[in-house]
Amino acid sequence: MRIEPFRMERTQCLWENLIDYNLSESGVSPLRVEELLGDELSTGDFLNSKLSYSWAGGSPDLRERIADFYGAGPENVRVTNGSSEANFMEFWGLLEKGDRAAIMIPNYLQTWGLARHFTGRADPYKMVLRKENGVARWALDVEGLHRAVTKRTKLILVTNPNNPTGSVLTEDEMDEIVRVARKVGAWIVSDEVYRGAELAGRTSPTFFGRYSRVLVTGGLSKAFGLPGLRIGWIVGQAKMVEKLEGYHDYLTLTLSSLSDRLATVAMEPKRREQLLDRTRGILRTQFPMLKEWIDERPDVLACTPPDAGAIAVLGYKLPITSTKLFDRLRDEKSVLITPGAHFGLTGKYFRVGYGYDMETTLKGLALIGDFIDEVRT
């Protein structure tokens, strides 16, 4: 069966190493191996690691440490090669032709493409920009959620914190999603890969434990600054995660043994909190620099500050679509952003990342500013 192109990833993979300024990154500057090892594992011990096959679903120590992050047990966890593989296994394991899947929009559209592949369609429900008590935020469209979920809905996809907006659902919004899912017996697949990267510092709540039919996707790429380890995971009912491990047998089978060992170091509770503190420090330091640049152009740019993640969605007022903006910035300025259309956003939006080297980021933003001035005149 054919699957539709995943435009965001395809374009990013094609261009991210060919341009001068990559503002499409969605994490923070990655750690070096020597920074990660710390006191728990010496360099000598790590270099003595055998390059053998590792545990298919993650080593017992790693699963136990991931479980601790959710208040779960190791039997509730299976480790995957990246969070994208976790999403794939969940959608493959849950969906059949004739099922329906409700997908949060805007979003990382891997799950949109997977839902359309496995069921033939996807039913969108939206996060919408609203003012609440005079403050703008991306909020759950509750009425849209109720329209999207029917008796045939097998799966409701949530991304919390959201990509690309960086918004975090309120407790009331989370409870509403659970109520709707429980009413029809649907599974909630909650992609929480940005959990732990909150600018305010308090780790956002998880969907795990709120409802029996919940599968959580997580990983080390975004909040932990360890994308090169390619470590993701699924957290859920013990019987379901055991079933999904069988799908892993048709994919990558096992993890890298070195990644498993380094991930076990990263998820030791004290080390885990150190890594998240590092990420939050980067975000709190660097977002004001991005905001200052945005505020210099109030007639063209607007941004609702993200709650979490090294990403921000910018609205803009220029006579050009988001995909055309993406093309021209790449071709004329050698700057890579991500167009709102690649997240299912209608209207004029684009996403920038601000978690990597800020000197480079500011140079890229300056070129975007030059482009805005050229288009305006």
Side-chain angles (χ1 to χ4, degrees):
M1 295 176 64
R2 294 184 179 181
I3 194 164
E4 62 191 67
F6 185 2
R7 290 189 298 162
M8 194 208 88
E9 286 295 354
R10 189 83 318 263
T11 53
Q12 191 166 352
C13 289
L14 283 172
W15 295 104
E16 63 184 346
N17 295 310
L18 299 176
I19 47 79
D20 295 331
Y21 301 97
N22 184 5
L23 273 58
S24 70
E25 290 287 359
S26 56
V28 296
S29 296
L31 281 89
R32 300 187 305 274
V33 173
E34 62 181 356
E35 291 179 290
L36 173 62
L37 289 179
D39 298 328
E40 184 161 332
L41 182 65
S42 71
T43 304
D45 287 340
F46 179 68
L47 292 177
N48 283 327
S49 301
K50 290 184 179 180
L51 299 178
S52 55
Y53 286 116
S54 63
W55 292 75
S59 63
D61 285 347
L62 177 55
R63 286 167 55 195
E64 183 173 352
R65 290 180 177 187
I66 292 169
D68 180 74
F69 191 42
Y70 297 92
E75 70 278 5
N76 300 116
V77 176
R78 291 297 184 278
V79 189
T80 61
N81 283 285
S83 56
S84 293
E85 185 176 67
N87 282 335
F88 187 92
M89 289 165 59
E90 290 157 345
F91 275 63
W92 187 17
L94 290 176
L95 296 177
E96 305 281 352
K97 284 294 182 186
D99 289 336
R100 301 280 283 269
I103 308 295
M104 178 184 280
I105 297 294
N107 218 316
Y108 182 68
L109 292 186
Q110 177 207 21
T111 48
W112 177 267
L114 290 175
R116 288 168 59 83
H117 175 70
F118 288 119
T119 72
R121 63 174 294 158
D123 300 312
Y125 69 96
K126 294 185 177 183
M127 298 293 289
V128 292
L129 195 55
R130 289 180 179 155
K131 276 197 173 181
E132 298 179 355
N133 300 319
V135 179
R137 69 176 290 264
W138 289 90
L140 176 68
D141 179 1
V142 175
E143 293 180 359
L145 172 67
H146 282 265
R147 287 193 299 269
V149 177
T150 72
K151 290 185 291 185
R152 291 172 58 191
T153 301
K154 184 72 174 292
L155 183 159
I156 301 171
L157 184 281
V158 181
T159 299
N160 188 49
N162 181 258
N163 178 14
T165 67
S167 63
V168 173
L169 294 169
T170 66
E171 291 282 349
D172 287 344
E173 289 170 334
M174 295 177 76
D175 289 343
E176 186 63 24
I177 291 169
V178 170
R179 276 193 291 270
V180 170
R182 184 178 280 119
K183 183 177 179 179
V184 299
W187 285 83
I188 295 172
V189 172
S190 181
D191 187 336
E192 299 177 6
V193 74
Y194 290 94
R195 181 173 180 256
E198 298 81 11
L199 278 79
R202 188 176 72 87
T203 301
S204 51
T206 175
F207 270 92
F208 180 78
R210 291 173 180 263
Y211 169 53
S212 59
R213 293 191 170 193
V214 168
L215 292 170
V216 169
T217 298
L220 294 181
S221 295
K222 308 303 180 185
F224 293 90
L226 297 167
L229 293 187
R230 305 306 304 135
I231 290 288
W233 54 75
I234 299 169
V235 183
Q237 278 184 9
K239 288 184 178 180
M240 178 54 76
V241 296
E242 182 179 5
K243 173 188 172 183
L244 293 177
E245 190 173 8
Y247 288 75
H248 205 200
D249 296 342
Y250 284 90
L251 296 169
T252 55
L253 298 175
T254 69
L255 314 174
S256 156
S257 58
L258 297 182
S259 290
D260 188 298
R261 195 158 191 197
L262 290 171
T264 303
V265 173
M267 292 305 290
E268 186 276 323
K270 183 178 178 181
R271 188 73 177 114
R272 178 188 77 207
E273 294 309 312
Q274 290 172 345
L275 295 179
L276 296 182
D277 285 345
R278 170 187 180 266
T279 293
R280 290 163 177 160
I282 291 171
L283 303 185
R284 286 194 292 264
T285 298
Q286 297 188 178
F287 179 71
M289 301 182 205
L290 172 62
K291 188 175 185 301
E292 181 179 0
W293 178 83
I294 296 167
D295 290 346
E296 290 171 354
R297 298 162 179 82
D299 57 325
V300 179
L301 299 175
C303 175
T304 300
D307 300 315
I311 47 178
V313 165
L314 280 61
Y316 67 93
K317 296 177 182 178
L318 291 172
I320 184 172
T321 66
S322 67
T323 51
K324 192 65 176 177
L325 177 68
F326 163 75
D327 289 336
R328 289 189 60 184
L329 283 173
R330 181 197 66 221
D331 294 342
E332 298 175 25
K333 303 296 183 182
S334 197
V335 176
L336 199 66
I337 50 95
T338 316
H342 285 187
F343 300 101
L345 273 169
T346 56
K348 295 179 178 182
Y349 295 94
F350 65 96
R351 190 194 76 179
V352 296
Y354 63 91
Y356 274 54
D357 174 66
M358 203 60 192
E359 182 178 351
T360 301
T361 300
L362 290 172
K363 290 178 180 177
L365 291 174
L367 290 169
I368 296 175
D370 293 343
F371 179 83
I372 289 172
D373 292 341
E374 292 165 12
V375 172
R376 283 195 299 188
T377 57

